[in-house]
Amino acid sequence: MDALITAAGRALAAGDPLGALNRIALRSDAPALALRGIAMAQLGDLELAKALLRRAARAFSPREHRARARCIVAEAEIALVSRDLGWPEKALQRARDTLERHGDTINAAYARYLSARHLLLIGRLDEAERELDMLEPGLLPLQAQAGCDMVVAGIAMRRIEAAKAKRALERAAASAGQAGIPALLSEVDDATRALAAPAARLVASERDELLLLEQVEALLAGNMFVVDACRHVIRSEGAIIGLETRPVLFALARALAEAWPSDVSRETLVAKAFRGRVADESHRARLRVEIGRLRALLKDHAGLRATDAGFVLTVPEGRNVVVLAQPVEDSHADVLALLGDGEAWSSAALALALGVSSRTVQRALERLREGGKVRSFGSGRACRWVVPTLPGFPTNLLLPAKITDG
């Protein structure tokens, strides 16, 4: 590799894409094309970056397996930044295997780090953690070490582990400070501010207050019956009762929990669960059925007792009932949560991350655009969505994370 290519590579590693382009901008050999692609990615021209990296992969000879694999890893990182979450994971895995076979442990480790970031974005936290467990952070440059700690912090924040997230962000800040890359320092600062901002709202009898993530963690570790409106589950004594796909039951549980220890009238329950204006006999019959279903789900943790006016939630003596709500109640808050990272997302990527259909996401985006909460640019498959200004609250409890019992 000649001196100009070496100097350009060092400039890119130091976060100086213009310095790299000054050395190789007029060259069209394979190594120069690859470095130009990485430089353009750092400057934000992702489409040109992808085109240059594909040209570089074709320009390398068929025997240069390691160089081709490096191009694939770089293209995977661009796909991750541009939120092209449908980019084939297997291509990155094959590239990583190729790099490991040829002894390129640094780039193989970087490919594993990218896999962990991708898995975090789509909410597969256990798999992301396994990737990190198999990774040796010491092999990575400082900026990637900071990125790994950011992934650890992201996993911890979605699992509501505030202390672990704080330690990871402190390590990330130290690595970013040593690397001295302003964009990386800014990213770590943003994550630190999100951790220090209100994460949820506690709603209980005569109480309505904002909670930090560490306070949410303490609340869930206590002996409370918690109706979690951020993730549509009920948490009690370490057990998690998922109601994500049963909105009527969750609406009933939330209404009863917000009124506890008082009862809730049948008319109010019908209005909140079925959106009926008048509680006629058909609504009352359906309410009895749904209350029976909810009673069966909660039988080991709480009871539902009929009163003259309606129903009341009952829990064993010494326990309290609270509702954990979003800091700001908003329709389609899960979509806004993902867009809150400041990146431009496609509707397909949002659907993949949230585990819903593209049509569902498109309807949500249209409603949010009508309200001035999001905007789009581009058209067709190149259409991307962003928030005009970032929300004033962190969104870790709204981001995708598979909820398991236990």
Side-chain angles (χ1 to χ4, degrees):
M1 190 173 292
D2 58 46
L4 284 177
I5 293 293
T6 302
R10 288 175 177 168
L12 288 174
D16 181 16
L18 294 177
L21 288 174
N22 282 337
R23 295 170 172 85
I24 57 169
L26 300 179
R27 293 179 53 167
S28 59
D29 53 299
L33 287 171
L35 293 177
R36 283 169 58 192
I38 295 171
M40 295 311 299
Q42 290 187 5
L43 290 171
D45 193 340
L46 303 182
E47 290 302 318
L48 179 56
K50 285 191 287 187
L52 286 168
L53 285 167
R54 288 169 183 169
R55 282 179 59 192
R58 291 193 298 268
F60 282 113
S61 73
R63 294 185 179 182
E64 293 180 285
H65 302 292
R66 186 167 60 177
R68 287 171 173 259
R70 287 175 176 174
C71 290
I72 292 172
V73 172
E75 189 178 347
E77 183 170 20
I78 292 171
L80 195 63
V81 171
S82 60
R83 296 300 184 259
D84 181 10
L85 302 185
W87 199 84
E89 292 181 62
K90 291 185 178 179
L92 182 59
Q93 293 172 2
R94 288 194 297 268
R96 186 183 67 210
D97 293 341
T98 299
L99 292 169
E100 289 175 345
R101 284 198 306 270
H102 288 81
D104 191 348
T105 54
I106 295 176
N107 282 296
Y110 195 78
R112 191 177 293 280
Y113 152 66
L114 292 179
S115 294
R117 283 183 59 189
H118 177 261
L119 292 166
L120 170 62
L121 274 177
I122 60 178
R124 290 156 58 180
L125 305 187
D126 292 339
E127 295 176 55
E129 196 167 48
R130 283 196 293 271
E131 290 287 349
L132 291 178
D133 289 341
M134 293 186 285
L135 181 62
E136 295 182 36
L139 294 173
L140 297 170
L142 284 172
Q143 59 266 35
Q145 290 181 30
C148 281
D149 285 321
M150 291 279 285
V151 175
V152 172
I155 294 172
M157 291 165 82
R158 296 195 196 184
R159 286 180 171 167
I160 319 177
E161 298 172 346
K164 184 176 179 180
K166 184 178 181 181
R167 291 193 299 269
L169 287 175
E170 288 172 350
R171 294 194 302 270
S175 298
Q178 293 181 49
I181 300 175
L184 182 60
L185 287 166
S186 177
E187 187 178 354
V188 176
D189 286 343
D190 288 343
T192 304
R193 283 195 297 271
L195 180 61
R201 185 165 55 91
L202 175 68
V203 181
S205 55
E206 301 181 356
R207 290 178 66 190
D208 191 332
E209 60 186 80
L210 293 172
L211 301 180
L212 301 178
L213 192 67
E214 59 189 17
Q215 294 173 308
V216 174
E217 183 179 15
L219 175 72
L220 298 183
N223 186 33
M224 288 194 178
F225 182 90
V226 181
V227 177
D228 187 347
C230 296
R231 289 181 171 166
H232 289 80
V233 298
I234 294 174
R235 303 172 186 266
S236 175
E237 299 179 317
I240 297 176
I241 303 169
L243 296 176
E244 305 96 318
T245 60
R246 307 183 76 172
V248 170
L249 295 188
F250 182 81
L252 292 173
R254 178 171 180 173
L256 291 164
E258 287 179 342
W260 184 88
S262 302
D263 61 354
V264 184
S265 69
R266 291 173 176 81
E267 290 74 14
T268 300
L269 291 173
V270 166
K272 292 194 174 185
F274 312 135
R275 299 181 182 178
R277 295 183 179 180
V278 179
D280 58 23
E281 284 305 315
S282 64
H283 283 123
R284 289 174 179 272
R286 186 182 175 192
L287 179 61
R288 287 194 294 271
V289 172
E290 299 297 347
I291 286 289
R293 290 170 176 167
L294 184 60
R295 183 182 285 121
L297 281 175
L298 302 181
K299 63 181 180 180
D300 296 328
H301 306 281
L304 296 177
R305 179 168 54 82
T307 65
D308 292 339
F311 293 91
V312 64
L313 182 67
T314 61
V315 293
E317 187 176 353
R319 299 190 68 193
N320 289 325
V321 177
V322 297
V323 173
L324 196 63
Q326 301 165 14
V328 177
E329 296 282 359
D330 203 331
S331 58
H332 311 301
D334 50 355
V335 176
L336 287 173
L338 288 171
L339 292 174
D341 65 359
E343 300 291 347
W345 288 70
S346 68
S347 59
L350 289 168
L352 180 62
L354 295 172
V356 298
S357 69
S358 294
R359 185 59 189 149
T360 298
V361 169
Q362 287 164 2
R363 285 196 295 265
L365 289 169
E366 288 300 330
R367 293 192 184 99
L368 290 170
R369 178 162 60 182
E370 290 170 2
K373 296 175 182 177
V374 301
R375 61 183 177 86
S376 64
F377 58 90
S379 59
R381 298 181 67 179
C383 180
R384 293 294 183 270
W385 296 84
V386 295
V387 287
T389 56
L390 296 184
F393 59 91
T395 53
N396 302 295
L397 301 186
L398 301 175
L399 293 170
K402 184 175 176 59
I403 302 293
T404 55
D405 293 337

